Amino acid sequence: RAEAQGYAAKLEATLAEERRALAAVRDEVSGLTVRDREQALELAHLSQTIADKHALNLIDELARFHALPAPDQERQERVAELRESLGRMGEINLTAIEEHREVSERHELLARQKEDLEKSLAHLREAIGRMNRTSRQRFRETFDLVNERFAQVFPRLCNGGRAELVLTEEAGDLLEAGVEIVAQPPGKRLQSIGLLSGGEKALTAIALVFAIFLIKPSPFCLLDEVDAPLDEANVGRYNDMVREMSKISQFILITHNKRTMEIADTLYGVTMQEPGCSKLVSVKLTERPREASAA
């Protein structure tokens, strides 16, 4: 009995060991089964990816590959080089054609806009050049006419002397040139207008204004205290010139000089007969001879 019990214990120990080995084998089989399923899924995914990207059947290509002779060293190096190039290129962009079409349309639109802008810019530059040529021509013509008239009017107002207009940058662009007034009153040397006295400056400015009016008269001309710095002799010549110029323009004179008031057709003044109450007074001097003849 004791021997039988020892033999039974030995068998139980062997059975337990076999069960542990069986459990290990079952675990290994289970792991292999899971791995097999994973590899099957990976193989199916790989086959589908190759079919989508390259329109090829992986099984057929694998069979064809095994039927081919083994590549030599040179081909293996070439394959490795191509694989490296493909790896650097990255994944295939399936939307590249659509993106290329959109970018091409955008490029064509921008190219047309650029062409239109260049044409508009060329036309604008042409128009600017044409306006500059016309402006230079008209400026030169007007400058010469004003200079000629100015040289005629100045001696009449100053009772002699001479004056002229000089371009400061005649060698450059006329549109960028400045105009300097050079005057020589009687008994003085030719000098810039900035070196003249107040009365001489006033006469020079009046001569320039009248010279411009003789070329292109304006309906109205407002002169504010222009005769203030002039002496009696100059006031007389100024009044004669205003009377002559009044045939082509209407002059409005603001003055306190009695001799200037005498040449006016109508006088307007402000008086204060009562403190704090101003009143406008007007006198039409041109009606006086007619009233005197009627009387």
Side-chain angles (χ1 to χ4, degrees):
R1 183 167 176 260
E3 291 177 0
Q5 288 179 348
Y7 182 71
K10 183 178 180 180
L11 290 177
E12 288 179 358
T14 303
L15 179 61
E17 184 178 354
E18 293 295 334
R19 286 177 177 175
R20 286 194 296 270
L22 179 60
V25 172
R26 286 178 177 175
D27 292 339
E28 185 177 358
V29 170
S30 177
L32 292 174
T33 302
V34 173
R35 184 178 177 184
D36 180 66
R37 291 178 181 177
E38 291 178 351
Q39 289 181 352
L41 292 175
E42 185 177 356
L43 180 60
H45 177 69
L46 181 60
S47 299
Q48 185 64 34
T49 302
I50 292 177
D52 294 339
K53 288 186 176 181
H54 307 289
L56 296 175
N57 190 339
L58 181 60
I59 304 300
D60 298 339
E61 291 299 319
L62 184 61
R64 188 178 65 83
F65 174 77
H66 286 293
L68 295 175
D72 54 9
Q73 183 66 25
E74 184 179 356
R75 288 191 176 183
Q76 291 180 0
E77 294 178 356
R78 178 58 178 166
V79 170
E81 181 181 352
L82 293 176
R83 286 179 178 174
E84 184 180 357
S85 299
L86 290 174
R88 290 196 302 267
M89 291 173 61
E91 296 293 333
I92 297 176
N93 186 6
L94 299 178
T95 61
I97 298 177
E98 183 67 23
E99 293 178 357
H100 179 268
R101 181 167 57 253
E102 293 178 357
V103 172
S104 298
E105 293 176 355
R106 178 65 176 170
H107 178 266
E108 292 177 359
L109 176 62
L110 294 178
R112 290 195 298 269
Q113 292 179 355
K114 178 177 179 291
E115 184 179 359
D116 294 339
L117 290 176
E118 290 177 349
K119 290 181 180 179
S120 300
L121 184 60
H123 293 163
L124 182 60
R125 288 176 176 173
E126 182 181 356
I128 292 175
R130 185 168 56 253
M131 288 187 292
N132 287 340
R133 289 192 298 270
T134 304
S135 299
R136 293 187 186 96
Q137 179 182 357
R138 293 186 178 182
F139 176 78
R140 170 55 69 180
E141 294 175 354
T142 304
F143 178 81
D144 293 340
L145 289 176
V146 172
N147 199 8
E148 181 181 354
R149 296 291 185 178
F150 182 54
Q152 297 174 358
V153 174
F154 182 82
R156 293 185 55 186
L157 287 175
C158 296
N159 195 24
R162 65 188 183 93
E164 63 177 347
L165 302 176
V166 180
L167 294 176
T168 57
E169 299 179 2
E170 189 171 1
D173 190 359
L174 285 177
L175 300 180
E176 301 294 335
V179 179
E180 184 177 356
I181 302 175
V182 181
Q184 183 181 8
K188 293 186 177 181
R189 62 183 180 86
L190 191 67
Q191 56 189 349
S192 174
I193 189 174
L195 303 177
L196 301 179
S197 64
E200 292 170 344
K201 290 180 180 178
L203 288 176
T204 304
I206 296 170
L208 180 59
V209 172
F210 287 171
I212 296 174
F213 267 67
L214 289 174
I215 297 173
K216 189 174 182 180
S218 176
F220 294 93
C221 180
L222 175 63
L223 300 177
D224 186 4
E225 296 288 352
V226 175
D227 55 356
L230 304 181
D231 55 17
E232 291 296 326
N234 290 330
V235 169
R237 291 189 294 271
Y238 162 73
N239 291 336
D240 294 339
M241 196 70 186
V242 170
R243 172 58 67 183
E244 180 179 347
M245 294 289 295
S246 62
K247 298 177 181 179
I248 58 176
S249 297
Q250 183 174 358
F251 283 83
I252 302 175
L253 307 178
I254 300 176
T255 181
H256 290 85
N257 192 289
K258 296 179 180 179
R259 295 188 59 181
T260 304
M261 296 180 188
E262 292 175 357
I263 67 169
D265 297 329
T266 304
L267 294 178
Y268 294 93
V270 179
T271 182
M272 186 179 296
Q273 295 180 353
E274 299 179 4
C277 182
S278 299
K279 181 180 180 182
L280 183 64
V281 179
S282 63
V283 178
K284 292 185 178 181
L285 302 180
T286 54
E287 296 181 356
R288 290 183 300 176
R290 190 165 53 248
E291 292 175 356
S293 60

